[in-house]
Amino acid sequence: MDIGNSLWLVSPEVFLSASSLILLMIAAWGGDKSARLVTILSAAALVGASILLMVLAHEPDFKGGVYAFSEQYRMDAFGSSAKFLIYLAAIISLMIAPRFFQAGGKYRAEYPILILFACIGMGMMVSATDMMTLYIGLELNSLSAYVLASFIRTDVRSSEAGLKYFVLGALASGMLLFGISLVYGFAGSTSFAVIGDALTGDLATGPLIGLVLVLSGLAFKISAVPFHMWTPDVYEGAPTPVSAFFASAPKVAAVALTTRVIIDAFGGQTSAWQQIIVFVALASIILGAVAAIGQQNIKRLLAYSSINNVGFLLIGLATGTAQGISAMMFYLVVYVAMTLGSFICVLEMRDKDGKPLESLSSLAGLSQTRPGLAAAFAVFMFSLAGIPPLFGFWGKFLVFDAAVAAGMLPLAVIGIAASVIGAFYYIKVVKIIYFDDPASEIVATGHKTENILIAVLALFVSPLGYLAIPFMAPIANAAAASLF
């Protein structure tokens, strides 16, 4: 394929790259006074990239996948669906950021630009069909994330979160690179397609170790057990809008990347990777449920909730079927809505002086002081727990149904049993909100943007979300079909 067609296929990333550089110049000349303008323009750039995605969806052979740059990049329904969800999560993360940072006078114009750079990296990740493209996208996203985690330089917790994320991220990148080098040594190529053709039959020890190391590096990026240790500390220490971003957009990108690597590069070695994914899925579900029980900080609790939900997502991947991947993509959409809604509710937890509150005890009696926020919080918690008839239940049901259809009944049974454990701490939050004596710490902020976002996301994960199934299901099915 010629360079012109290749550039057209990567036009969302090219558009975001050009927009980022222009906005960087605006930020350099305008200083922090231009922060709000840069934020608005960054959100507009993400909208523009989303429009380009929809235009590309009408390309010939789009459903089957179109390659660019000597088959190092693939534009298909799977990658486009993931990108659209990433851009949507990033836009919401940008909308909630200015008020949080400006309350402490710490909002700077480079914040939205870092979000854009991270989105460029994530876009490359989900469309990568070569280990080199994979790593470039992964590191572009990671380098932006390290800075975002430590964005409030005067806050010790934020600096500590950035440092921990950087050190552990470097370790994970080292494992990933070592695994890639081993796979390359035995397959003779970094292309997913060539690796898939080369690694057939019984897997030798060398490429098996390479597979394990590659999956270990990717497991860190999705914060799956046993590579989850950074997640609670980073989510707690990072600014809340950054934590919301980490729990949504990069999670989508990392799960999509892991899926593409497994299906495209190691699809012929199901017996090798499936047992790894099954173990990681169950370990994430169980540890995410049990470790969250004793948490007193709401952001740490949501971090373990993120780990728990990654386990459910991986059950869909473990099936290795189109139905399982479709269920995973469907659940990703619902998960992003539930998680962003929960974190925006946390943003609304402020005292009379405007200071953020993060302890569970400060939620006591919220139903009496702010009944609307309390109801939304309860909807998100019940939906994350998978309690019917909320929309979170349907996402879990699809994943478990795919596991049963793939002949993995024990995996589904254990996953369902573990989800009951996880329901305990979600219900605990609701109990504190509705039944504990009022703490009278949280006051109304009257911020329309956050209130509107909370209402929209709460309605989406409520039973009204089922109305979206006729639209979401075909997209998820098409995304899964493009991988096979």
Side-chain angles (χ1 to χ4, degrees), residues 83-155:
K83 286 181 195 179
F84 191 83
L85 187 55
I86 289 166
Y87 296 160
L88 180 61
I91 290 170
I92 294 174
S93 299
L94 286 174
M95 291 173 67
I96 63 178
R99 176 172 165 266
F100 175 88
F101 288 108
Q102 285 175 345
K106 302 180 183 72
Y107 195 51
R108 302 194 297 277
E110 58 265 30
Y111 179 86
I113 299 171
L114 286 168
I115 295 285
L116 286 188
F117 280 133
C119 287
I120 297 167
M122 288 185 277
M124 293 180 66
M125 286 166 59
V126 299
S127 292
T129 52
D130 189 280
M131 292 296 183
M132 295 299 99
T133 319
L134 174 158
Y135 189 72
I136 291 171
L138 194 66
E139 287 309 300
L140 179 55
N141 170 47
S142 297
L143 289 173
S144 301
Y146 301 149
V147 181
L148 287 169
S150 57
F151 197 75
I152 304 179
R153 290 175 291 187
T154 56
D155 187 345

Side-chain angles (χ1 to χ4, degrees), residues 391-427:
F391 208 23
F393 162 76
W394 187 250
K396 285 187 172 66
F397 172 79
L398 290 178
V399 169
F400 292 136
D401 182 54
V404 173
M408 306 177 76
L409 181 61
L411 174 62
V413 170
I414 297 172
I416 293 169
S419 66
V420 175
I421 302 173
F424 172 81
Y425 63 84
Y426 293 121
I427 296 174

Side-chain angles (χ1 to χ4, degrees), residues 177-466:
L177 280 175
F178 189 28
I180 289 173
S181 67
L182 283 173
V183 172
Y184 169 73
F186 285 92
S189 174
T190 54
S191 169
F192 291 176
V194 177
I195 292 171
D197 292 336
L199 301 183
T200 57
D202 293 333
L203 206 59
T205 303
L208 179 61
I209 294 174
L211 167 64
V212 172
L213 288 172
V214 168
L215 292 183
S216 297
L218 296 176
F220 174 89
K221 300 302 178 183
I222 61 177
S223 60
V225 175
F227 304 99
H228 66 286
M229 66 289 293
W230 61 275
T231 312
D233 291 338
V234 172
Y235 280 29
E236 179 185 6
T240 304
V242 176
S243 300
F245 178 67
F246 285 172
S248 54
K251 196 80 71 178
V252 173
V255 170
L257 171 63
T258 305
T259 302
R260 196 181 285 279
V261 170
I262 285 177
I263 300 299
D264 287 355
F266 302 110
Q269 296 295 333
T270 305
S271 59
W273 61 259
Q274 194 173 55
Q275 54 189 318
I276 298 173
I277 298 299
V278 167
F279 168 77
V280 170
L282 291 178
S284 299
I285 292 172
I286 295 170
L287 186 138
V290 174
I293 293 175
Q295 301 301 321
Q296 298 302 315
N297 183 287
I298 186 67
K299 288 169 68 177
R300 290 185 71 88
L301 186 145
L302 289 175
Y304 282 108
S305 168
S306 167
I307 295 168
N308 179 257
N309 277 277
V310 162
F312 293 117
L313 289 166
L314 291 178
I315 287 179
L317 176 57
T319 64
T321 63
Q323 182 183 352
I325 304 301
S326 175
M328 183 193 74
M329 292 299 291
F330 192 102
Y331 190 46
L332 262 177
V333 178
V334 183
Y335 162 76
V336 167
M338 295 185 296
T339 301
L340 283 174
S342 300
F343 273 104
I344 298 173
C345 286
V346 174
L347 278 174
E348 284 290 292
M349 294 170 56
R350 292 179 178 271
D351 62 15
K352 61 182 179 180
D353 298 321
K355 182 181 177 182
L357 299 171
E358 297 178 3
S359 65
L360 284 178
S361 59
S362 62
L363 286 169
L366 184 66
S367 59
Q368 298 180 34
T369 56
R370 295 196 61 186
L373 180 62
F377 227 135
V379 167
F380 292 126
M381 292 298 105
F382 281 137
S383 189
L384 281 166
I387 296 176
L390 296 171
F391 208 23
F393 162 76
W394 187 250
K396 285 187 172 66
F397 172 79
L398 290 178
V399 169
F400 292 136
D401 182 54
V404 173
M408 306 177 76
L409 181 61
L411 174 62
V413 170
I414 297 172
I416 293 169
S419 66
V420 175
I421 302 173
F424 172 81
Y425 63 84
Y426 293 121
I427 296 174
K428 174 185 174 183
V429 175
V430 179
K431 175 259 181 186
I432 292 172
I433 290 174
Y434 278 92
F435 297 103
D436 284 13
D437 294 330
S440 300
E441 293 184 52
I442 300 174
V443 299
T445 61
H447 197 264
K448 292 183 179 179
T449 301
E450 291 175 5
N451 291 335
I452 292 172
L453 285 173
I454 289 172
V456 170
L457 292 171
L459 288 173
F460 178 74
V461 301
S462 74
L464 291 175
Y466 288 89

